[in-house]
Amino acid sequence: MRYQYHSHNQPGCGGCLLVAALILLAFGGAPLLINVIGILLSTGIFLFLAMFVAFWAFSYYIRRRVSEYEQSQTETRKNFVSLLVHILVKVAQFDGNITRAELQTIKNFFRAHLHYNQNQMFWVNELIKDATNNPDSLETLLAQFRNSFAYEPRLILVELVYQVFFSNERVTDQELELARNIAEYLELSPYDLQTIQSRYIHMRHAAVNQEQQYYEVLGLQADATFEEIKKAYRKLSMKYHPDKVAHLGEEFRGVAEEKMKEINAAYQYLKKKFNNQH
C-alpha cells in the first residue's frame, strides 16, 4: 500500500487575528483593544503616505533630471533621438504586441551599444513610455525622419535598426524584410542597403572567411578589381565620415567612427592583397 502524504491546512490570518483580539480583551479589556487597533491604523496610514511621498519624490526627481538633460541638448539631437526611439518601438510592435524582452532589448541597445549614462537612460525610458502610447504609424514616423534629416543620418538609422535586430539570437525573415522596407522608404541606395545587410547577415555565419567579409563591408563581390575597391572605399568614406553626423551627438558620431574603422580595415587588407600580387 502506497503511503500518501496529506498536508494539513494551517490556521489562516483570520484565526490569528481573532486569537490576538481575545488575548487583548482578556488582559486589558476593550480600551486596550481599541488603542492597539488605532495604533495599527495610524501606522498603516503613515506607511502608505510615506510610500506615496517617496514615489512622488522619485518621479519628480526623474522628470527634473530628464528636463535638465533635454534642455542641454540641441533641437536636432532631441528630434533625432526621439524619432529613433519611436521608430525602434514601433518596429518592436510590428507583430501587434511589444514584450518586456523587446523593450529591454531596446534599452540594452542604448546602454551597451551607444554607451548611454544614467541621465541619458532616464531620458530614453521616458521616450519609450511616450512611444508605446504613440498612435502614429511606422510610415508616419519614417516620413518625419526622412523629411527632417539628410542622407547620412538615414544611413545611421538603418545601421541601428539592423543592430537592434541582430542583438537578438535569432532574426526572422519578417524582421529582415521590415529592415529592407525601412531602408527603401528612407531612399537608401540599393548599394548602401546591400552593404549594411550583407555585413550583419554574414557576421552570423562562421563559414564566411575574413576576406569575404571585407568585400562585403565595401559592398563588393570577390572578383572586384582594385579600381572598384578604391572607388567603393572613397564613396563609403564620404558617406560615413563622422563629421557628417556630429550634430546628432557624440554617440552617433561614435557609430560612424566604428563604421569607418571597418571600412578602413577592409580597404587596407584588400590593398595589401593586390600590392602583393604585383
Side-chain angles (χ1 to χ4, degrees):
M1 180 177 179
R2 184 178 178 182
Y3 176 78
Q4 292 183 340
Y5 174 78
H6 298 281
S7 61
H8 298 282
N9 292 328
Q10 301 297 323
C13 291
C16 296
L17 291 174
L18 179 60
V19 172
L22 291 173
I23 292 173
L24 290 172
L25 283 172
F27 284 93
L32 178 59
L33 178 61
I34 293 172
N35 286 338
V36 170
I37 292 174
I39 292 171
L40 292 174
L41 287 174
S42 299
T43 303
I45 293 172
F46 174 78
L47 290 174
F48 174 78
L49 290 175
M51 291 175 63
F52 175 80
V53 170
F55 176 78
W56 179 86
F58 182 72
S59 299
Y60 173 78
Y61 169 77
I62 296 298
R63 290 195 301 270
R64 185 168 64 84
R65 293 285 291 270
V66 169
S67 177
E68 290 174 353
Y69 181 77
E70 283 187 330
Q71 290 174 12
S72 69
Q73 306 303 307
T74 65
E75 286 300 318
T76 300
R77 172 176 160 76
K78 286 190 289 187
N79 190 29
F80 183 85
V81 178
S82 178
L83 277 173
L84 174 61
V85 171
H86 279 70
I87 289 170
L88 293 180
V89 169
K90 197 63 67 174
V91 165
Q93 292 174 324
F94 180 66
D95 59 357
N97 187 31
I98 183 167
T99 65
R100 181 176 298 180
E102 288 172 326
L103 286 177
Q104 197 59 45
T105 296
I106 295 174
K107 293 178 183 179
N108 287 340
F109 166 74
F110 280 92
R111 187 182 296 109
H113 288 266
L114 300 184
H115 309 292
Y116 270 28
N117 60 32
Q118 188 180 48
N119 282 346
Q120 291 171 312
M121 287 309 303
F122 285 153
W123 183 35
V124 168
N125 288 335
E126 290 300 312
L127 290 175
I128 289 175
K129 289 179 185 176
D130 294 339
T132 53
N133 298 316
N134 188 349
D136 291 340
S137 66
L138 177 59
E139 185 175 350
T140 298
L141 295 171
L142 289 173
Q144 292 179 28
F145 194 96
R146 186 178 62 188
N147 295 332
S148 301
F149 298 101
Y151 192 81
E152 290 77 17
R154 297 182 209 170
L155 276 174
I156 295 297
L157 172 60
V158 175
E159 282 274 350
L160 298 179
V161 168
Y162 273 92
Q163 281 189 25
V164 168
F165 280 148
F166 280 85
S167 65
N168 298 316
E169 291 186 5
R170 181 175 177 272
V171 183
T172 65
D173 291 339
Q174 291 80 5
E175 288 172 334
L176 289 176
E177 180 66 22
L178 178 59
R180 285 192 292 269
N181 290 339
I182 289 174
E184 291 170 359
Y185 190 87
L186 293 175
E187 299 176 348
L188 262 64
S189 70
Y191 170 81
D192 289 330
L193 172 56
Q194 180 64 29
T195 301
I196 294 171
Q197 181 173 270
S198 296
R199 183 164 58 92
Y200 282 97
I201 291 176
H202 288 156
M203 277 180 1
R204 288 290 177 92
H205 300 286
V208 178
N209 61 41
Q210 188 180 51
E211 183 171 307
Q212 186 175 345
Q213 288 181 14
Y214 285 143
Y215 278 107
E216 294 291 350
V217 166
L218 298 178
L220 299 171
Q221 299 295 325
D223 58 353
T225 66
F226 187 58
E227 285 302 315
E228 290 173 328
I229 291 171
K230 287 195 293 184
K231 182 178 179 182
Y233 171 71
R234 288 194 295 266
K235 192 175 182 181
L236 289 172
S237 295
M238 291 179 62
K239 289 178 179 177
Y240 283 98
H241 196 286
D243 288 347
K244 292 193 173 184
V245 294
H247 60 293
L248 303 178
E250 283 302 312
E251 69 273 32
F252 300 108
R253 181 186 176 91
V255 171
E257 288 174 348
E258 288 299 316
K259 179 68 175 179
M260 278 302 303
K261 288 179 184 178
E262 294 179 356
I263 294 169
N264 285 328
Y267 177 70
Q268 292 302 325
Y269 176 89
L270 296 175
K271 178 181 178 182
K272 184 177 180 180
K273 171 191 172 183
F274 275 86
N275 287 339
N276 290 339
Q277 292 176 355
H278 297 87

